[in-house]
Amino acid sequence: MTTMTIAKAINEGLRATLKNNPKSLLMGEDIGPLGGVYRVTDGLIKEFGEHRVVDTPLAESGIVGTAIGLALRGYSPVCEIQFDGFVFPAFNQITTQLAKIHSRTNGRCTVPVVIRIPYGGGIGSIEHHSESPEALFAHTAGLRIISPSNAHDAYWMIQQAVECQDPVIFFEPKRRYWLKGEVDVENPGPSSDPFQAHTVREGSDATIVAYGPLVPVALAAANAAAEDGHSIEVIDLRSISPIDFDTVEASVKKTGRLIVAHEAPTFGGIGGEIAARISERAFLHLEAPVIRVGGFHMPYPVAKVEEDYLPDIDKILEALDRSLAY
Amino acid sequence: MGSTQLPTPGTDGTVAEVPTAGAVSGEPAAEMVQLLGPDGKLGTDPVFSDYAKRIEPEQLRRFYTDMAKIRRFDQEATALQRQGELALWVPLTGQEGAQIGSGHASQPQDYIFPTYREHGVALVRNVDLADLLRQFRGISNGGWDPRENNFHLYTLVLAAQTPHAVGYAMGIQRDQKFAEASGSTEPKAAVMAYFGDGASSEGDVHESMVFAASYNAPVVFFCQNNHWAISVPSSVQTKIPLANRAKGYGFPGIRVDGNDVIAVHAVTEWALEHAREGRGPVLIEAYTYRVGAHTTADDPTKYRESAEETAWRGKDPLDRLEKYLRAEGLADDTFFEQVKVDGDELAAQVRATTLSLEVPDIRSSFANVYAEKHPLVDEELAWFEEYSAGFESDAEAAN
Ligand SMILES: Cc1ncc(C[n+]2csc(CCOP(=O)(O)OP(=O)(O)O)c2C)c(N)n1
């Protein structure tokens, strides 16, 4: 076991990938000597050279589009998109091309491209640097979407993303980059399947589902609720597509109550999908409607007011109160 | 004949002089390479004549055969669409010289990324022509194995395949490094990316060219300027000859008479050699014309003069090669009659195969959404099975 930040864990995971998989390579803007704007690829170009760590021209569609070509030729490219709000120039390549090649070729061609996107708010940044666009991608069949919330997962999940034969969008909770945690670099343990949810806190009165940056918030809310005598279970979803509904369903059957929290706008978000599925699967076990805690239906607001926008402990506790009141 | 002064991308079918091209870029306009003129006479070119000389008479006859075959196939597919057997057809008539010439310049190890109109290139690459029709019949989103003949699936999102081509070429570069390290003597390969004059306006083409230039990728961009993007003339896409754009990216751009199969072959062979030898990308603009409609859903009389079509028919790629072959005594009536018979046979075959193509079961659409197991797909398929079984038991109960 070693302790490291999430950013360092992804860096180490990428290092392991580049070492173990000679066909893997990293591509993106400023990822070479600078090490990426968040330094996630720090030092990798020195170790592996410019053919494995490629500083690309400033063109997101070009990055993802050429990554697709490399994958068709047998390579495993890992693309870095600098910030969440800048993935849209590549949206066409991701949704109309990357997601569909395996199906269009009747399974003859695989495109194991990974797209790393630092996402989410809470860092006091300016426009287009704080968004959570995961639902836009989750709606497209053919893509897998995962998001780690701790260093151990970050280390393993990035490597698993590269090994996966499907395209994977890897959402990195940027405001948690500096969150430290224990990493077992020898053994993934229960993290060996990146598409499985983890129950990170046991409880019996209600379940909170969260992923990525909101997992620590959900845990803090559960701890606060415990002081009021409520026993809250917290699930770290880890995978946004596919969603491990079995784990959520089992938990709801135990607790009877469900809160889903994410930073993305509530409307049309992943929370709605979870609410609907759980209503279908466990309606008779529910003591209260599933309650969603998310962002408002507005462009991500200016940094000075983002605190009012982001789901925090109080908003989750308010949702819990409402749920427990039924 | 040699190189002629660069014509404008005008819409009247006449080849006009273009003083503006030079004025815009501050450079003299690129010239159009032409070897075999509409009169069927072979001219010379300081660079490309040497390439043209490599073409054996047998290969010239093959060029003719293939152009005729694909034109015949095109007519058959159009007929199939009119009879309701295809949802849509994208004709290539007029562009046979550009496609057969460039296709034959490629080697088996080269990888091709077509648009949706490259039936001629598909023929040269040995793709079963009936397979092309699966997509237009609405029974597949692909239809052939792209790796079998290194001919990728058609792409309907304009220009989206151009960055794929560059990425693939970057992969080839890396493979060659691996190969050199292991002492392998695999033949060197390059990639060809086809796109149209309309698609040349898409950002992806720009991004591809930037990437190709930055990494010196072995890719040949092959733009068929057929003068029309559905109803919009190429003058709306560009104010300078498209080939001249290459200069802005820092690699060679060549405009070639796309209706001259010999020149197209020579230029493409040069470009592919250039790319394979590690000298970087090339843009070829094949100056040609889409004689028919954009697709079977389209009515060209709404947006262009028939005189323009007539003028271009006078530059027909098949006619001029026929004239040349006859004049040089390389082919006679028997040959041309045989080509016609073979064409009819191919058309009949394609028709029969197309009609026998079966509609797949929707279950096959569940099969390859993902390469690895996916619970949502499994769950939805299971639901579908149960739902369908309900109808079967209803039917049994009714019996
Ligand atoms: C991204 C995109 N926008 C619009 C279309 C619709 N569309 C299909 S073909 C076409 C014109 C293409 O013209 P060009 O690139 O010159 O190729 P051509 O069809 O003439 O061979 C258009 C607008 C499309 N397929 N993809």
Side-chain angles (χ1 to χ4, degrees), chain B residues 116-117 156-158 196-199 202 226 228-230 294:
Chain B
Y116 42 74
R117 204 188 289 280
L156 296 182
V157 180
L158 289 168
D197 48 303
E202 289 277 357
N226 68 2
W228 291 92
I230 309 188
H294 170 72

Side-chain angles (χ1 to χ4, degrees), chain A residues 55 61-62 73 75 93 104 166, chain B residues 154 164 175 204 207 215 371:
Chain A
D55 259 338
S61 187
R73 183 74 192 182
Y75 286 80
Q93 284 292 340
R104 294 186 65 231
D166 289 311
Chain B
Y154 279 177
H164 305 173
D175 285 351
D204 271 354
E207 296 192 20
Y215 303 117

Side-chain angles (χ1 to χ4, degrees), chain B residues 11 93 226-228 230-231 289-294 298-309 313:
Chain B
T11 56
T93 296
N226 68 2
H227 284 76
W228 291 92
I230 309 188
S231 67
Y289 193 76
R290 183 247 294 162
V291 174
H294 170 72
D298 172 56
D299 175 10
T301 62
K302 286 214 159 135
Y303 54 81
R304 70 186 191 192
E305 302 290 333
S306 62
E308 182 186 307
E309 284 169 37
R313 280 185 200 277

